[in-house]
């Protein structure tokens, strides 16, 4: 667990980036306002985590899952966040599935290339043996 309350705050760089993305160009925000938003975001995340943890405990689990977070949003009366969260979750899952498939394809391609290389080496060895046998046959004929 955190040793100091500040350890529970979200990183300032992340908060600043989110704020900049949310505001129109040319709008500045004071350091105090950024700090207040950061604290509010940290409290929100902790509260949501606590509520989601309660759902996980009811399910006799120690790991929070997406369903727990969605249920927590509903319990916290943030229903308007549920649809965007579900959409983001689907996008995330598709991306992860695509990455997993790309990795599988890459592994299959690597295995295929490895097998091709192995076959080429075997063919090269066979060619060398055949050349040696031909040379031996020629030497025998000469003798």
């Amino acid at each position: 667990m955190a040793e100091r309350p500040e350890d529970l705050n979200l990183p300032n760089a992340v908060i600043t980036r989110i704020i900049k993305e949310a505001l129109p160009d040319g709008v500045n925000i004071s350091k105090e306002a950024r700090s207040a938003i950061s604290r509010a975001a940290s409290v929100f995340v902790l509260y949501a985590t606590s509520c989601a943890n309660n759902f996980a405990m009811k399910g006799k689990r120690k790991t929070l899952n997406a369903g727990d977070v969605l249920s927590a949003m509903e319990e916290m009366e943030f229903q308007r966040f549920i649809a965007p969260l579900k959409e983001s979750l689907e996008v995330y899952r598709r991306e992860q599935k695509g990455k997993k498939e790309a990795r599988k394809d890459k592994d299959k391609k690597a295995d295929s290339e490895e097998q091709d290389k192995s076959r080429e080496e075997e063919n090269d060895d066979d060619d060398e043996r055949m050349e040696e046998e031909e040379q031996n046959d020629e030497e025998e004929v000469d003798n």
Side-chain angles (χ1 to χ4, degrees), residues 105-119:
D105 291 344
K106 183 179 178 183
D107 290 345
K108 284 181 182 178
K109 185 176 180 182
D111 288 345
S112 175
E113 288 175 358
E114 197 172 290
Q115 288 175 351
D116 290 346
K117 186 176 181 181
S118 177
R119 284 188 201 121

Side-chain angles (χ1 to χ4, degrees), residues 22-117:
L23 294 175
D25 290 338
V27 175
N28 294 323
I29 185 164
S30 71
K31 187 175 181 178
E32 294 87 20
R34 197 170 37 247
S35 177
I37 292 170
S38 177
R39 284 192 206 115
S42 296
V43 169
F44 175 79
V45 169
L46 289 170
Y47 181 52
T49 304
S50 176
C51 288
N53 189 47
N54 290 339
F55 282 101
M57 287 174 36
K58 286 177 189 174
K60 298 180 182 176
R61 293 177 284 109
K62 292 185 178 182
T63 304
L64 301 180
N65 62 34
D68 298 329
V69 174
L70 294 171
S71 297
M73 289 295 122
E74 191 170 334
E75 182 176 294
M76 295 166 42
E77 297 182 8
F78 283 102
Q79 286 85 359
R80 67 182 187 164
F81 287 177
I82 294 173
L85 280 173
K86 284 181 179 180
E87 290 173 17
S88 296
L89 181 61
E90 285 303 313
V91 168
Y92 172 78
R93 286 179 175 163
R94 281 194 297 266
E95 287 175 358
Q96 293 304 310
K97 188 176 180 181
K99 287 179 184 179
K100 190 174 183 179
E101 289 174 358
R103 205 170 340 170
K104 279 184 181 180
D105 291 344
K106 183 179 178 183
D107 290 345
K108 284 181 182 178
K109 185 176 180 182
D111 288 345
S112 175
E113 288 175 358
E114 197 172 290
Q115 288 175 351
D116 290 346
K117 186 176 181 181

Side-chain angles (χ1 to χ4, degrees), residues 102-143:
R103 205 170 340 170
K104 279 184 181 180
D105 291 344
K106 183 179 178 183
D107 290 345
K108 284 181 182 178
K109 185 176 180 182
D111 288 345
S112 175
E113 288 175 358
E114 197 172 290
Q115 288 175 351
D116 290 346
K117 186 176 181 181
S118 177
R119 284 188 201 121
E120 287 177 11
E121 289 174 358
E122 287 175 8
N123 288 340
D124 289 345
D125 290 345
D126 289 345
D127 290 345
E128 288 176 15
R129 272 189 245 120
M130 289 179 73
E131 287 176 12
E132 287 176 10
E133 287 176 7
E134 288 176 3
Q135 287 176 352
N136 289 340
D137 288 345
E138 288 177 8
E139 288 176 7
E140 286 179 11
V141 170
D142 288 343
N143 290 335

